[in-house]
Amino acid sequence: MCALRTHSRGKIDLKQGAVNLRPHDRARAWVIRIILWVILVVTLAPLLYVVSASFSSTDALSSASLIPLHATLANYVNVFSSGFLRWAWNSTEVALVVSAAQLLITSTAAYAYSRLHFLGRKYGLMVLLLLQMFPNSMAVAAIYAVLAQWGLLDRLWMYMLLLIGGSAFNIWLMKGFYDTIPIELDEAARVDGAGHFRILMSVILPLARPMLAVVFFLSMIGYYSEYILAGTVLQSPSNYTLGLGMYNLINTQFAQNWGLFSAASLLSAIPLAVAFGFLNPLMARGLTAGATKG
């Protein structure tokens, strides 16, 4: 009855419901709020130091005052003369190309595991996931030896090709979403004469757009900031990604440019923020898909 009054009378009864909470429910709500506030402060504190250092006139990462005494935009001006734009373009290109390629591989492979019956279907994806559990750092020496032998080091396209192969987790994620799509839709399309390709393009993918957005954005985050494999394959400054280029800003022999590094860190978040803004409506539906079923 309380729920009906809340639905019919809106905010007034919502406020009354908050006042009429039982004591232990009210205490639990405050405990949750305090925990969230603590997590928020702990999460934002390092970011505040980065913002402060980016406006500081010194190269120190932290100072006695969180607000710089002599704030300046010199770090943001100098960051564009350090090769930042080239690094950002390389990272954005790698993230977009690899994420798009993995989206193509993921959507088709997940359809095969979800809808087709073939030898090795039951354990094939599990084997891929087991192989993905081993970190890339374990294969760095072998990758370097092979690429050096074939003269393929310091090539951005080869770096992208190496990254495209790691899509087992995305296939597993997409397969789980395909499994929630009723098989009756496939059967209805098959009655109309549609094959597997037409079913995938006209039935499955339009319904899977939220999960496609999730897979694309998560892949983009991972490959935009990838460092270990990039440090192995890429060698010339013109091919550096953001991870490699920004590492050189604080790895100089005589000084560590923390102010310049902080400004570059904040600017490097812009492409991901733009992508999140465009994909957020679809991602919200994709991440909650399957939470309520029936």
Side-chain angles (χ1 to χ4, degrees), residues 42-56:
V42 172
T43 304
L44 292 181
L47 180 61
L48 294 177
Y49 278 102
V50 172
V51 174
S52 176
S54 68
F55 290 100
S56 177

Side-chain angles (χ1 to χ4, degrees), residues 32-271:
I32 294 174
R33 290 174 184 172
I34 293 173
I35 292 175
L36 292 176
W37 289 340
V38 172
I39 293 175
L40 184 64
V41 170
V42 172
T43 304
L44 292 181
L47 180 61
L48 294 177
Y49 278 102
V50 172
V51 174
S52 176
S54 68
F55 290 100
S56 177
S57 58
T58 65
D59 289 331
L61 182 60
S62 60
S63 59
S65 176
L66 186 60
I67 300 177
L69 299 178
H70 304 285
T72 178
L73 294 175
N75 291 324
Y76 289 92
V77 175
N78 295 333
V79 75
F80 292 103
S81 61
S82 62
F84 172 81
L85 289 179
R86 183 62 184 177
W87 307 334
W89 170 254
N90 288 341
S91 288
T92 305
E93 182 183 4
V94 168
L96 290 176
V97 171
V98 175
S99 299
Q102 283 211 0
L103 205 60
L104 176 63
I105 296 172
T106 297
S107 58
T108 52
Y111 177 82
Y113 278 106
S114 177
R115 293 297 200 262
L116 304 183
H117 298 278
F118 55 90
L119 184 63
R121 172 180 177 269
K122 185 175 182 180
Y123 300 105
L125 191 55
M126 188 175 299
V127 172
L128 287 177
L129 281 175
L130 289 176
L131 293 176
Q132 290 282 143
M133 290 181 181
F134 297 96
N136 292 333
S137 56
M138 296 181 63
V140 163
I143 292 174
Y144 180 84
V146 172
L147 295 184
Q149 183 177 1
W150 289 90
L152 295 175
L153 288 173
D154 200 24
R155 284 171 170 78
L156 203 60
W157 65 268
M158 177 54 64
Y159 172 61
M160 296 181 191
L161 192 61
L162 292 172
L163 292 178
I164 290 174
S167 58
F169 175 76
N170 292 335
I171 296 175
W172 184 273
L173 191 66
M174 187 65 69
K175 175 190 175 298
F177 188 88
Y178 284 177
D179 290 341
T180 64
I181 299 176
I183 194 69
E184 289 79 10
L185 297 177
D186 298 30
E187 295 172 352
R190 196 170 290 111
V191 169
D192 293 335
H196 288 297
F197 181 77
R198 177 58 61 186
I199 292 174
L200 174 64
M201 299 300 296
S202 301
V203 178
I204 303 297
L205 290 185
L207 296 175
R209 284 184 301 173
M211 186 54 66
L212 292 174
V214 171
V215 170
F216 182 83
F217 185 71
L218 293 181
S219 299
M220 188 174 178
I221 290 177
Y223 299 125
Y224 185 77
S225 57
E226 201 279 331
Y227 175 77
I228 296 178
L229 195 58
T232 303
V233 177
L234 306 177
Q235 298 175 345
S236 60
S238 60
N239 288 330
Y240 279 177
T241 57
L242 275 172
L244 287 176
M246 291 172 59
Y247 174 72
N248 289 330
L249 295 179
I250 56 173
N251 193 37
T252 57
Q253 182 178 1
F254 301 104
Q256 294 178 333
N257 302 315
W258 287 110
L260 198 63
F261 179 86
S262 300
S265 299
L266 295 176
L267 291 175
S268 65
I270 294 177

